[in-house]
């Protein structure tokens, strides 16, 4: 393996690697998640770990932290061999390893302060020494150069602020290695830049960072080195400055990806969905937009701008106090999701684990669930073979990485779970699709497949309303983009105004309609 660490400058060459994983193989029943992988992390290095969904990135990080017990291989920390029998998360934390995931691991009823120090409370005479903890928390925030209110329960905080608390919790003890597993998947540009700034501070302190993300531009913005995994195998490692995005994509998906966005149509049919003056207290007010047959429209806005509540309101899961919704020109009062589905709406939620999938069901059941009636023979018998065939076809199209349709969805990688959420609505034959961050956590190759599917839907005359934090994606797919700012439509962007600059200034509330 040619690792950046070996190819690096004199100052670092003398240092011992913080983490060195040699010939790591990890087998789960029926799956070889890692196959003889080598990985090295040096002090002061931010190392990007990339690969398709199910490539083994999270598994690799879990082998390092002791959450997974590798089947074969060796682990060294600062040159010392780690005894793998009995190695555990607790032990890895003692050695200075910390992980921050995209999914929150915070206690939502507890304050930031309590969350940061949970398990490490300073005590005086048996009582918790809040004065010391408060001082340490202030020092920590100063060190990270962040200002987050640590005295309110964390569920009141913005997503980005919760991530800062998670980071503070991870770096408060003597941590040397920080693993960030798709941390930025739920964040917006501005907050991502803040994370990059914090990574800079941690690197300067000599910490090593393993950075996992599907947003490849981030790898180029904040990582020094990269490792590509494919199907559990080590494809390449090296310096980020020696490669470009095209090369990286080719290594990840094994082929070139020249045109990422399909050419979208410009001829549209009748208005399928129209929203007039829709209002929900504390979420959004006076929202009006429309989408025609064959058209994709976008909803953009910072976290908390009201986009998710808006699509939920249309799908009947968020109460509204005013305004009207029209489907094919007819006013409707959508009472609940079942009603919305009957009216031809399909919804892909942003929170896949709680809203999108039933973790107790297998892949096939999850995929066909909303379209059960489509597979009914003579109105009584369920045609299980047809169900399985359709589930197979759609999941193959999305390049799901799985070994059986009858396998539980729970153990699938995050991105593969998201693909199933998408597959089930694609199968359902809805007329109007509400997609809330459909490509979150999805690898570049599969993103491309999803863009193609969206394109295909519009060719069939369907309508798509899409929420996405990735502006490039909105610009590439949407005919018109509505920009929400603090619950109101701040701007409508189409034609020549569809540029990153215009959208960003509207997102921040700078320009108007
Ligand atoms: N606990 C487990 N039991 C069984 N199989 C597992 C388990 N954890 C992971 N796998 C399998 O190992 C493979 C690698 O999964 P992993 O979560 O490491 O992928 P990933 O690269 O992190 O993907 P993503 O980008 O989607 O998060 C997948 O096929 C997954 O289904
Ligand atoms: Mg993962």
């Amino acid at each position: 393996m040619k690792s950046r660490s070996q190819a690096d400058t004199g100052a670092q060459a003398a240092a011992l690697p913080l983490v060195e994983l040699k010939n790591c193989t990890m087998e789960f029943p029926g799956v070889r998640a890692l196959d003889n992988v080598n990985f090295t992390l040096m002090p002061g290095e931010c190392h990007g770990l990339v690969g398709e969904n199910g490539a083994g990135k999270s598994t690799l990080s879990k082998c390092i932290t002791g959450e997974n017990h590798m089947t074969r291989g060796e682990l060294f920390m600062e040159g010392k061999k780690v005894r793998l029998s009995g190695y555990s998360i607790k032990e890895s934390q003692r050695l200075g390893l910390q992980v921050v995931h995209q999914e929150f691991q915070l206690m939502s009823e507890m304050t930031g302060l309590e969350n940061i120090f949970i398990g490490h409370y300073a005590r005086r005479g048996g009582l918790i020494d809040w004065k010391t903890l408060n001082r340490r928390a202030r020092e920590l925030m100063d060190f990270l150069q962040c200002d987050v209110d640590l005295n309110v329960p964390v569920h009141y905080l913005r997503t980005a602020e919760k991530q800062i608390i998670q980071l503070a919790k991870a770096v408060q003890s003597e941590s040397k290695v920080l693993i960030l597993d798709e941390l930025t998947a739920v964040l917006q540009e501005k907050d991502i830049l803040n994370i990059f700034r914090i990574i800079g501070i941690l690197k300067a302190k000599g910490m090593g960072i393993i950075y996992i993300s599907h947003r490849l531009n981030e790898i180029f913005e904040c990582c020094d080195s990269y490792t590509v995994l494919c199907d559990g195998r080590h494809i390449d490692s090296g310096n980020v400055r020696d490669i470009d995005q095209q090369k990286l994509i080719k290594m990840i998906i094994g082929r070139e990806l020249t045109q990422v966005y399909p050419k979208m149509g410009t001829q549209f049919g009748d208005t399928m969905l129209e929203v007039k003056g829709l209002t929900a207290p504390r979420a959004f007010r006076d929202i009006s937009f429309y989408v025609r047959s064959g058209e994709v429209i976008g909803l953009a806005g910072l976290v908390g701008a009201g986009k998710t509540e808006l699509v939920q309101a249309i799908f009947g899961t968020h109460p509204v106090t005013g305004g009207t919704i029209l489907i094919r020109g007819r006013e409707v009062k959508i009472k609940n999701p079942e009603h919305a589905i009957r009216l031809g709406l399909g919804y892909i939620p942003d929170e896949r684990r709680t809203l999108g999938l039933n973790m107790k069901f297998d892949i096939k059941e999850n995929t066909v669930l909303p379209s059960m009636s489509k597979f009914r023979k003579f109105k009584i018998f369920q045609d299980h073979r047809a169900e399985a065939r359709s589930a197979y076809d759609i999941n193959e199209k999305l390049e799901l990485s799985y070994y059986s349709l009858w396998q539980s969805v729970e153990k699938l990688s995050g991105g593969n779970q998201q693909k199933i959420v998408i597959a089930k609505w694609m199968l359902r034959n809805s007329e109007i699709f509400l997609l809330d961050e459909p490509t979150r956590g999805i690898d570049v190759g599969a993103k491309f497949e999803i863009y193609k599917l969206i394109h295909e839907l519009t060719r069939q005359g369907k309508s798509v309303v899409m929420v996405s934090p990735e502006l490039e994606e909105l610009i590439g797919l949407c005919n018109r983009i509505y920009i929400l700012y603090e619950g109101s439509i701040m701007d409508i962007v189409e034609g020549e105004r569809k540029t990153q600059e215009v959208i960003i200034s509207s997102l921040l509330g700078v320009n108007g309609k």
Side-chain angles (χ1 to χ4, degrees), residues 142-145 196-206:
D142 284 349
F143 168 62
L144 298 176
Q145 298 169 21
F196 291 172
R197 189 186 55 77
I198 293 174
I199 289 177
I201 296 174
L202 301 177
K203 271 173 44 173
K205 203 185 148 210

Side-chain angles (χ1 to χ4, degrees), residues 46-53 57-58 100 102 179-187 192 195-196 199 210-220 222-223 226-228 248 252 439-444 447 470:
C46 181
H47 195 130
L49 190 54
V50 294
E52 288 183 292
N53 297 127
K57 303 177 295 295
S58 298
V100 181
Q102 164 204 130
I179 302 177
L180 306 179
D181 194 347
E182 294 194 49
L183 177 79
T184 53
V186 287
L187 298 183
I192 293 173
I195 300 286
F196 291 172
I199 289 177
I210 301 176
Y211 191 90
I212 303 178
S213 177
H214 287 293
R215 298 189 183 172
L216 301 182
N217 55 337
E218 294 178 3
I219 304 297
F220 290 92
C222 92
C223 297
Y226 66 90
T227 286
V228 182
L248 193 59
I252 293 172
T439 60
R440 176 194 287 180
I442 286 206
D443 65 59
V444 274
K447 263 187 190 167
E470 292 188 48

